[in-house]
Amino acid sequence: MTLEELLQRIAQLKTQADSVIIGVVGAPGAGKTTLVEQLMMRLNAGQESPELQRHAHVPMDGYHLADVELTRLGRLDRKGAPDTFDAYGYAALLKRLRERHDDVVYAPGFERTLEQPIAGAIPVFPAATTILTEGNYLLLDTPGWHEVREQCTEIWYCEQDDDVRIQRLIDRHVRFGKSPAAAAEWVTKVDEPNAHLIRSTRDRADLVVRLEEVAAA
């Protein structure tokens, strides 16, 4: 799939429903955010006013549980696993965005320099009837994540060469404060078990997108 073909697919979905939510899923470091940002740039081209943009980007990362809660639950050492997110809260937000709203809906963001969720960081204006959301577990068939899947019109699975993906992950962890050794250890012990789980959900996707092909097109 090229970027143009993905844009055409979005346009087709918009003719079939008043509101569209497209989920983009993939293993850590697969390039989900990069793909969504490329699509958003094209979808909102020529419309500089956020209040009038008809497309919005709402990532899953804002539903990370805060470190203080992960510590209470004993899960801080595997932050990023499925049970370290507020999946039900995420599903409730997507449901709210699917329904008509006359006021701004505020979604949480995630500040990577702090590694913490930030409430009310992303305004979604009433004009936005197409939402792109990306995260790791949108296809997971467990309580909470199943409800997330139900709110999405389609979910696309992103694939990336594993060597590229893993190196990108290590570089990201280093960029945000870990030593190279600690970054590599975190990828091995935390990110890659999550990646294995995410790969097991691939067959549930509506579309598989090879990121190398999109980048080359």
Side-chain angles (χ1 to χ4, degrees), residues 25-27 135-142 145 149 155-157 194-208:
V25 68
N136 295 341
Y137 305 114
L138 279 60
L139 293 169
L140 204 61
D141 193 19
T142 57
W145 297 109
R149 175 67 183 93
I155 294 184
W156 303 348
Y157 185 94
N194 293 337
H196 179 76
L197 175 63
I198 295 159
R199 276 194 294 271
S200 73
T201 69
R202 180 184 186 276
D203 291 345
R204 301 175 190 153
D206 297 288
L207 180 70
V208 176

Side-chain angles (χ1 to χ4, degrees), residues 111-128:
E111 177 52 63
R112 288 209 171 270
T113 55
L114 299 174
E115 286 290 305
Q116 294 297 294
I118 304 294
I122 302 171
V124 182
F125 296 95

